[in-house]
Amino acid sequence: MRKDVRILLVGEPKVGKTSLIMSLVSEEFPDEVPLRAEEITIPADVTPERVPTHIVDYSEAEQSDEQLYQEISKANVICIVYSVNNKKSIEKVTSHWIPLITDRTDKDSRVPLILVGNKSDLVEHSSMETILPIMNQYQDIETCVECSAKNLKNISELFYYAQKAVLHPTGPLYCPEEKELKPSCIKALTRIFKVSDLDNDGILNDNELNFFQRTCFNTPLAPQALEDVKNVVRRNMNDGVKDNGLTLKGFLFLHTLFIQRGRHETTWTVLRRFGYDDDLELTQEYLFPVIKIPPDCTTELNHNAYLFLQSVFDKHDKDRDCALSPDEVKDLFKVFPYMPWGPDVNNTVCTNDQGWITYQGYLSQWTLTTYLDVQRSLEYLGYLGYSIIYEQESQAAAITVTRNKRIDLQKKQTQRSVFRCNVLGARGSGKSGFLQAFLGKNLQQQRRIREDHKSLYAISTTYVYGQEKYLLLHEVMPDFDFLSEADLACDVVCLVYDINNPRTFEYCAKVYKQYFIDSKTPCVVIAAKSDLHEVRQHYSLSPQDFCRKHKLHPPQPFTCNTTDALSKDIYTRLTTMAMYPQGFNPGFFLLSPCVLFAARCLCIVVQTHIFVSFRSHARLRCMCTCNRCTYCLCQNLLKLELLRNIKAQLRRVVFNRLLGWVEAVGGCLLSEEDFSLTQQVSAISNVEGSIFMEASAEQLNLPERHMAQADLKNSTFWLRASVGATVCAVLGFAMYRALLKQR
């Protein structure tokens, strides 16, 4: 809607243009009328539409033709004034003024015209019989008003209609010759109908009509009013009402009726509430609300957004098979001006056996769009009507901006749900197969993918310690010399080489040494096509020796050439490393599942014992005031910083011992067949105090490199010291309990 309205009055001399303005301002007919009135501004709080209005007078005696042309170009609406008792002034309307205005305005942005018959107090008859043929001849004429500046008749109505012609124009909505809505208006109202049809049954029931009424006009319809509306449609259309609900044809008929009865402001109110401008296009402010994204932050959909998208999915999944068929996808995107998803989407997210996008794949695609291009996601949510259905100020309310990644690294915990893994490797090394395997497609299924339907992205969910997370895989094109910042910005890196191609590992080694050797981004080497015979790589170091030298995880074998269900263990590991880049040690991939499970249980038991002990002491109250009794001494002992440090060192020592022991004998614990069992530990729920997720001040800090001999000696000292301190604490607590009983 415009922020102000500019009204220009033109016409022959002595028809009363200046008198109309003076009568409006002073509310009385002026005794003396100047040749031309100065420009007048009416404040917004005085006008019916709450918009500032500027009224401009024109005088042929005081202004040149050039000044007139400038005023015409600046005007939003032009009132052509004639005298009802002067036939010559009426003839000038068609012979001079309308052609002049038409020539001086752009054809694509016509200015609405209002015919004003002044001095109606001087005649007893109306001039409408003469004016109606003119109105039918020129489409730009909005209306005609007869008034009298002397008697103040219809003065306020004149300027109200002028303001209304600007704010609620008829031209974009209705074609008077054909007496029907224009195609652009039908298209906009059809989208509004589909957005308001919450159950997608093709009719607006009473609840949906009430929601629509409340959304647009801030008030619901009374039951009788609803019936009256439907009865009006029934009387004029056979298929306007179905199953006691309003069909699309009935909805369009109602708006046609509003416009024909001069209530086109009703239709404009609906259109503007759903984001349309005066040209019946969705505004930029509606589609792209402002959202600030600081550097090193990502964008994700929040809980309400996922609930909304779930409701949209359920609305269009008519066969209830938890997947969207091609026809259902087309129906979903009918409210869009274009088809937003191409055929590559079916190879970006999970699909069913028929190749249809599943519910999980549907949410994954929205997650991918939000992560990569949040503005596009805002646009899509705008088309679906998120801010209207959820009664939010804009679609920006659906977006969560994550905190800076540096803060996550400092705190060693993250609240993010989407993690990006860039997959790099030489051409033909198996990167695409690695991406498609994440979606559950084996090699035979991948061979059926058309070249123009392939995707460089794959996204799906993994579970890390019982939490659902999204892992986004991005295949980076193998151009070693021109890796951009986007190719390097990620949470974890996959370096893929083909074990059957001796020239593929060299690319991985060079990329790692050039871009990631000093980076804090975790890296994993993937030995792809592990079902084939392994050959020696043409590089100075073998992949195993290279990983050992640079303290990387050993190369992870991978193949998608199988008829069995593809394992997601490697993808879960990648997500875990992305979540906890500083808490992951290469030795973790060698730990036996039994050892890891026992270690976690030990940690939980120790923490539970300490927690219960502190809770029991907190419930006691000392009855003395000397602060020297046994209870007070034990309380002070428990609060000592030394004891807290001992506890923290005890935890660290236990795991250092485990890692040192496993480093020596870990290779004997697992064979290649049961290597995948290491990931079973990730299914254990991540309780508070977990060795990888604890966020307290006593959080465990696992070493990032192999344990040195000095660290081993240091840990031996702390192990002895902690055991001794624990024994002393237990004996002291026993003495305290014995003395307390006597007391």
Side-chain angles (χ1 to χ4, degrees):
M1 183 180 289
R2 293 184 181 274
K3 296 182 179 180
D4 60 358
V5 175
R6 189 174 182 87
I7 304 172
L8 173 63
L9 274 67
V10 299
E12 293 299 300
K14 306 298 183 180
V15 293
K17 302 184 295 297
T18 308
S19 300
L20 289 171
I21 298 175
M22 302 294 288
S23 297
L24 174 70
V25 174
S26 61
E27 297 185 353
E28 62 179 3
F29 187 72
D31 295 331
E32 294 184 4
V33 180
L35 291 176
R36 177 176 174 266
E38 296 296 329
E39 180 178 329
I40 295 172
T41 300
I42 302 176
D45 55 355
V46 177
T47 61
E49 296 293 339
R50 302 294 177 184
V51 176
T53 302
H54 310 281
I55 302 175
V56 181
D57 190 12
Y58 166 70
S59 172
E60 185 177 346
E62 290 193 356
Q63 292 176 287
S64 64
D65 290 344
E66 188 62 33
Q67 289 175 313
L68 172 62
Y69 301 154
Q70 291 179 2
E71 291 295 344
I72 290 175
S73 64
K74 293 190 292 184
N76 303 129
V77 58
I78 298 176
C79 296
I80 303 177
V81 184
Y82 64 91
S83 177
V84 295
N85 64 344
N86 187 340
K87 289 185 179 181
K88 185 178 179 180
S89 65
I90 298 177
E91 293 173 357
K92 283 284 189 177
V93 170
T94 55
S95 64
H96 176 70
W97 290 109
I98 294 180
L100 175 66
I101 295 169
T102 303
D103 292 341
R104 294 295 170 177
T105 54
D106 189 8
K107 292 181 179 180
D108 297 330
S109 57
R110 291 294 191 189
V111 178
L113 305 177
I114 294 180
L115 301 184
V116 181
N118 194 20
K119 304 183 180 181
S120 63
D121 59 294
L122 299 180
V123 296
E124 296 181 357
H125 62 276
S126 174
S127 63
M128 295 305 295
E129 293 182 1
T130 308
I131 296 300
L132 282 176
I134 300 176
M135 294 180 63
N136 294 330
Q137 181 180 356
Y138 297 96
Q139 298 181 12
D140 296 334
I141 299 176
E142 288 285 327
T143 187
C144 176
V145 181
E146 287 191 347
C147 59
S148 172
K150 186 174 183 178
N151 295 342
L152 305 183
K153 178 184 176 182
N154 290 339
I155 301 297
S156 299
E157 288 77 3
L158 160 63
F159 292 100
Y160 167 71
Y161 285 125
Q163 191 181 59
K164 185 177 175 181
V166 177
L167 302 177
H168 310 300
T170 309
L173 307 180
Y174 186 73
C175 181
E177 289 82 7
E178 300 179 5
K179 296 183 179 180
E180 62 182 24
L181 298 174
K182 289 188 175 181
S184 57
C185 183
I186 293 175
K187 182 180 177 181
L189 291 175
T190 300
R191 171 185 167 265
I192 293 171
F193 179 90
K194 290 188 68 67
V195 169
S196 303
D197 184 12
L198 301 179
D199 54 9
N200 199 33
D201 61 352
I203 61 173
L204 297 182
N205 56 39
D206 289 356
N207 290 333
E208 291 166 343
L209 281 171
N210 257 319
F211 177 79
F212 171 80
Q213 177 76 10
R214 190 173 62 253
T215 299
C216 297
F217 305 101
N218 298 320
T219 179
L221 281 174
Q224 186 58 46
L226 277 173
E227 287 302 317
D228 292 342
V229 169
K230 287 183 279 190
N231 288 334
V232 170
V233 177
R234 284 192 188 100
R235 287 195 298 266
N236 291 274
M237 298 190 69
N238 294 328
D239 52 356
V241 177
K242 180 182 177 182
D243 298 332
N244 202 34
L246 200 63
T247 65
L248 175 59
K249 289 185 177 179
F251 184 74
L252 295 176
F253 168 77
L254 275 180
H255 285 281
T256 304
L257 195 62
F258 291 148
I259 295 170
Q260 289 174 344
R261 294 184 177 180
R263 292 175 53 193
H264 37 281
E265 66 271 11
T266 302
T267 301
W268 274 115
T269 301
V270 172
L271 290 167
R272 288 183 175 126
R273 178 63 183 90
F274 279 78
Y276 289 92
D277 60 14
D278 292 345
D279 298 321
L280 297 185
E281 298 289 342
L282 290 171
T283 64
Q284 295 296 303
E285 293 78 9
Y286 173 80
L287 289 177
F288 305 104
V290 177
I291 180 171
K292 295 182 179 179
I293 305 172
D296 291 332
C297 297
T298 59
T299 49
E300 301 175 2
L301 294 169
N302 59 29
H303 180 65
N304 284 338
Y306 280 117
L307 289 178
F308 171 74
L309 293 173
Q310 178 184 350
S311 68
V312 173
F313 182 92
D314 294 338
K315 173 179 172 179
H316 293 88
D317 183 19
K318 296 181 180 179
D319 52 8
R320 296 292 181 264
D321 61 347
C322 290
L324 294 177
S325 67
D327 290 338
E328 289 171 341
V329 172
K330 289 181 181 178
D331 185 52
L332 189 154
F333 291 125
K334 277 185 178 179
V335 296
F336 285 59
Y338 57 88
M339 185 65 181
W341 291 358
D344 60 319
V345 172
N346 294 64
N347 301 311
T348 304
V349 299
C350 294
T351 58
N352 62 10
D353 296 336
Q354 297 171 285
W356 298 352
I357 298 174
T358 63
Y359 170 71
Q360 188 59 56
Y362 164 82
L363 293 182
S364 298
Q365 179 63 25
W366 279 98
T367 304
L368 172 68
T369 305
T370 305
Y371 185 92
L372 296 179
D373 189 352
V374 67
Q375 291 297 324
R376 184 63 58 88
S377 184
L378 291 172
E379 179 188 1
Y380 292 171
L381 289 171
Y383 291 136
L384 292 173
Y386 171 81
S387 61
I388 295 162
I389 301 301
Y390 268 53
E391 301 180 10
Q392 300 288 342
E393 184 176 350
S394 71
Q395 296 88 262
I399 305 299
T400 295
V401 179
T402 64
R403 70 185 179 187
N404 193 297
K405 189 177 178 180
R406 290 196 299 268
I407 300 178
D408 287 346
L409 293 174
Q410 291 172 0
K411 295 188 177 243
K412 300 182 181 178
Q413 61 175 340
T414 182
Q415 299 172 342
R416 294 159 60 200
S417 299
V418 186
F419 299 92
R420 177 169 179 163
C421 171
N422 283 356
V423 182
L424 296 95
R427 196 176 302 276
S429 59
K431 302 187 298 297
S432 299
F434 186 72
L435 266 68
Q436 293 302 313
F438 186 34
L439 307 178
K441 297 179 181 179
N442 58 30
L443 186 61
Q444 288 73 23
Q445 294 170 317
Q446 294 177 26
R447 286 172 176 167
R448 294 196 290 267
I449 300 175
R450 291 173 48 179
E451 191 67 28
D452 56 340
H453 290 180
K454 289 184 178 180
S455 173
L456 296 177
Y457 293 94
I459 183 171
S460 188
T461 55
T462 61
Y463 287 86
V464 178
Y465 302 127
Q467 300 180 70
E468 184 182 55
K469 302 294 181 182
Y470 283 95
L471 178 63
L472 166 60
L473 301 179
H474 175 214
E475 179 183 348
V476 179
M477 299 308 293
D479 192 348
F480 175 78
D481 296 326
F482 297 99
L483 290 180
S484 64
E485 291 186 7
D487 297 331
L488 303 176
C490 57
D491 302 300
V492 62
V493 174
C494 264
L495 301 172
V496 181
Y497 76 97
D498 180 1
I499 67 169
N500 192 245
N501 187 337
R503 296 179 177 85
T504 54
F505 180 74
E506 182 180 7
Y507 178 88
C508 297
K510 287 183 177 180
V511 167
Y512 177 79
K513 294 170 69 175
Q514 177 72 23
Y515 297 104
F516 299 107
I517 192 169
D518 296 323
S519 170
K520 294 183 179 179
T521 305
C523 296
V524 176
V525 178
I526 302 295
K529 305 179 184 180
S530 59
D531 57 303
L532 302 178
H533 174 67
E534 184 173 6
V535 298
R536 188 176 184 277
Q537 296 292 321
H538 293 175
Y539 190 68
S540 58
L541 294 174
S542 69
Q544 292 78 9
D545 293 339
F546 181 88
C547 293
R548 190 179 300 111
K549 176 182 178 181
H550 295 284
K551 305 297 187 293
L552 297 175
H553 308 298
Q556 305 298 301
F558 169 81
T559 181
C560 57
N561 187 14
T562 176
T563 56
D564 300 331
L566 296 171
S567 173
K568 285 195 173 184
D569 291 346
I570 183 63
Y571 305 106
T572 305
R573 296 175 194 171
L574 291 172
T575 311
T576 308
M577 294 175 67
M579 290 178 65
Y580 311 110
Q582 290 184 337
F584 241 87
N585 188 281
F588 178 78
F589 278 81
L590 297 174
L591 288 176
S592 165
C594 298
V595 173
L596 283 173
F597 182 75
R600 287 178 58 79
C601 291
L602 175 61
C603 188
I604 294 170
V605 169
V606 171
Q607 291 180 353
T608 305
H609 171 71
I610 294 172
F611 175 73
V612 172
S613 299
F614 272 105
R615 288 292 297 272
S616 63
H617 281 288
R619 288 196 297 267
L620 296 175
R621 294 290 183 271
C622 182
M623 303 300 294
C624 71
T625 58
C626 64
N627 200 31
R628 296 179 181 177
C629 67
T630 307
Y631 171 77
C632 296
L633 292 175
C634 290
Q635 279 287 81
N636 294 334
L637 176 64
L638 289 172
K639 294 178 181 178
L640 283 176
E641 186 67 25
L642 175 63
L643 187 58
R644 295 183 181 179
N645 292 335
I646 289 174
K647 284 196 314 178
Q649 290 292 344
L650 176 60
R651 294 182 186 177
R652 183 167 181 262
V653 164
V654 169
F655 282 92
N656 282 344
R657 283 286 182 176
L658 283 174
L659 290 175
W661 173 73
V662 170
E663 191 170 320
V665 300
C668 301
L669 291 176
L670 297 173
S671 63
E672 290 184 1
E673 288 77 9
D674 61 8
F675 185 86
S676 63
L677 292 176
T678 57
Q679 195 54 36
Q680 293 179 1
V681 71
S682 66
I684 303 173
S685 61
N686 185 29
V687 297
E688 184 178 10
S690 166
I691 60 174
F692 293 113
M693 293 188 65
E694 185 177 28
S696 64
E698 300 172 353
Q699 182 176 6
L700 175 65
N701 291 320
L702 289 180
E704 296 183 0
R705 304 295 180 192
H706 292 288
M707 188 171 57
Q709 188 66 24
D711 294 333
L712 187 63
K713 293 181 180 179
N714 188 42
S715 65
T716 303
F717 164 76
W718 279 108
L719 180 61
R720 293 174 180 173
S722 60
V723 170
T726 303
V727 171
C728 293
V730 170
L731 291 176
F733 185 69
M735 294 174 57
Y736 151 69
R737 293 293 296 272
L739 293 173
L740 186 63
K741 285 184 179 179
Q742 296 178 2
R743 188 174 170 187

